[in-house]
Amino acid sequence: MAEAERIIGTPDTPDTGRDGTEGDDARAGGAPGAGAREGGAPVAASGTGGTAAESERPRGKRRIAVLFTVAALAYALDLISKMIVVAELEHHEPVEIIGDWLRFEAIRNAGAAFGFGEAFTVIFTVIAAVVIVVIIRLARKLYSLPWAIALGLLLGGALGNLTDRIFRSPGVFEGAVVDFIAPKGFAVFNLADSAIVCGGILIVLLSFRGLDPDGTVHKD
């Protein structure tokens, strides 16, 4: 009877009225994992699954911390640089950094990055807000360090330019972004634009490599 109960997975119940042999055999397990069951499921299996889930949660939290740390750093650098530019460069002559090849020049940009689409300021403001919301929602499923860095750059850059859109003149959601980095023969931009472009390039590279935000790798 004990052997039949072991095969069908029914936990053995020691019989105190017998000589204790059957109870000892059940406690010994007879076969690997036979006597270690809890609610009809092997304890080892549930323990392994629980350990894996517990290890994934801290790993995901670390990636989220990286995302927001990168975003905060990009946002702070952009904000500080714009404050200095407005205070020191606006209404002044451009400052040459590398001759004619690179100079700092304060410009108010009502369009998108690099001065494109100045007639759609409100639309770009809404797009930036949507991007921020999407990144924050995606962060819950983030388990990839490179993706955390890329999304952090996007988030910090979007927040930097969105701050200008909301708080700078001529009005809320129509504010002009402060640009100041002026390479020769290229549009004027700022650190937020640079963070957005770098984050976008990194996302493209990760996509080509088949790495998803949740850490899985696929090959098409």
Side-chain angles (χ1 to χ4, degrees), residues 70-118:
V70 172
L73 181 60
Y75 177 70
L77 290 175
D78 179 68
L79 185 63
I80 293 172
S81 65
K82 288 174 179 175
M83 292 173 62
I84 295 174
V85 166
V86 170
E88 302 294 335
L89 288 181
E90 201 163 36
H91 309 302
H92 291 77
E93 291 295 322
V95 176
E96 293 185 350
I97 305 301
I98 308 178
D100 293 336
W101 292 99
L102 177 64
R103 62 182 183 178
F104 288 165
E105 179 180 3
I107 293 178
R108 296 295 182 112
N109 172 24
F114 308 113
F116 298 113
E118 294 188 3

Side-chain angles (χ1 to χ4, degrees), residues 171-205:
V172 178
F173 300 122
E174 296 181 351
V177 175
V178 176
D179 290 335
F180 63 94
I181 304 174
K184 183 178 181 180
F186 195 72
V188 184
F189 59 97
N190 56 42
L191 294 183
D193 297 333
S194 301
I196 292 172
V197 171
C198 291
I201 292 174
L202 182 54
I203 287 176
V204 171
L205 294 176

Side-chain angles (χ1 to χ4, degrees), residues 204 206-212 216-220:
V204 171
L206 294 174
S207 299
F208 272 118
R209 294 188 60 185
L211 180 62
D212 292 332
T216 59
V217 179
H218 66 275
K219 294 183 179 180
D220 296 334

